[in-house]
Amino acid sequence: PLELKSARVLFATRPATFGGLILDQGQDLGLAPDQGVLVPEGIVGRLWSVSATQSKVLPADAPNASVAVMLMRSRATGVLQGLGSGRALIRYVSNQEVVQVGEAVLTSGLDRVFPRGLLVGYVAEVAQGDLELRVIVNLSAPLDRVSTVLVLPSQPPLEVQPPFLAQEPRPQPRKRGTP
């Protein structure tokens, strides 16, 4: 189980360019930059800067925000980049993938900020591009009406495990009297 920490939103600077949310917790609660922030409806963003008693959240719809995501039905992965106003674009999804409007978008866990499987939003538009699909997502978290958030623990660095080597099957000894 994840150990979540709660914080209240003191002030929202979302309408401003590169605006965010100011939280009432900081280093005093053990918070650090790049921790994931969420609400029951979905992800909100990540901690951008942390002071002694406050933190600033970079919302997932900010133009300089990115989140590793996967599509629920097709399992295609990509990188979510903010477009503002509660919308985002998934980059790096191949034209070969079949993506449907209304399909759920989840965190993939590959960014080591959010664990795999948290709701991000739902596909609103899909269009063919030259090399990749243009997938627009409506984020599920109500970013303009958030008053309390949960902060995820810091993720450990990604460790690459050696490949799994299967044991070669051993021949079974034959029972007497069987061919």
Side-chain angles (χ1 to χ4, degrees):
L2 293 173
E3 238 182 77
L4 303 174
K5 297 176 181 175
S6 65
R8 289 181 307 164
V9 175
L10 295 176
F11 187 71
T13 59
R14 284 190 30 78
T17 305
F18 300 108
L21 304 171
I22 308 298
L23 305 182
D24 70 343
Q25 302 290 345
Q27 293 168 346
D28 55 348
L29 190 64
L31 300 185
D34 282 334
Q35 285 183 263
V37 179
L38 58 113
V39 292
E41 295 89 350
I43 69 161
V44 172
R46 68 175 71 199
L47 294 182
W48 182 254
S49 63
V50 179
S51 70
T53 59
Q54 293 181 346
S55 302
K56 183 173 182 183
V57 176
L58 177 67
D61 69 346
N64 55 335
S66 62
V67 178
V69 297
M70 69 178 175
L71 294 153
M72 186 170 186
R73 192 190 55 73
S74 66
R75 294 293 188 211
T77 60
V79 176
L80 186 89
Q81 291 186 322
L83 296 173
S85 301
R87 292 169 63 90
L89 169 70
I90 301 179
R91 303 281 317 272
Y92 314 117
V93 176
S94 167
N95 274 334
Q96 307 301 314
E97 296 291 343
V98 177
V99 178
Q100 297 175 346
V101 171
E103 185 171 351
V105 179
L106 308 174
T107 55
S108 69
L110 297 175
D111 58 8
R112 307 297 290 165
V113 173
F114 295 99
R116 182 181 183 143
L118 297 176
L119 182 63
V120 175
Y122 296 93
V123 174
E125 302 171 29
V126 181
Q128 291 281 344
D130 292 336
L131 299 173
E132 61 188 46
L133 291 177
R134 179 174 167 78
V135 182
I136 305 293
V137 176
N138 287 333
L139 301 178
S140 60
L143 299 178
D144 291 326
R145 297 185 311 275
V146 173
S147 61
T148 305
V149 297
L150 297 170
V151 181
L152 291 163
S154 294
Q155 294 288 326
L158 183 61
E159 293 180 15
V160 178
Q161 300 294 325
F164 175 73
L165 299 174
Q167 296 283 335
E168 295 217 9
R170 292 186 216 163
Q172 296 293 325
R174 291 187 180 173
K175 293 181 183 178
R176 291 184 181 234
T178 58

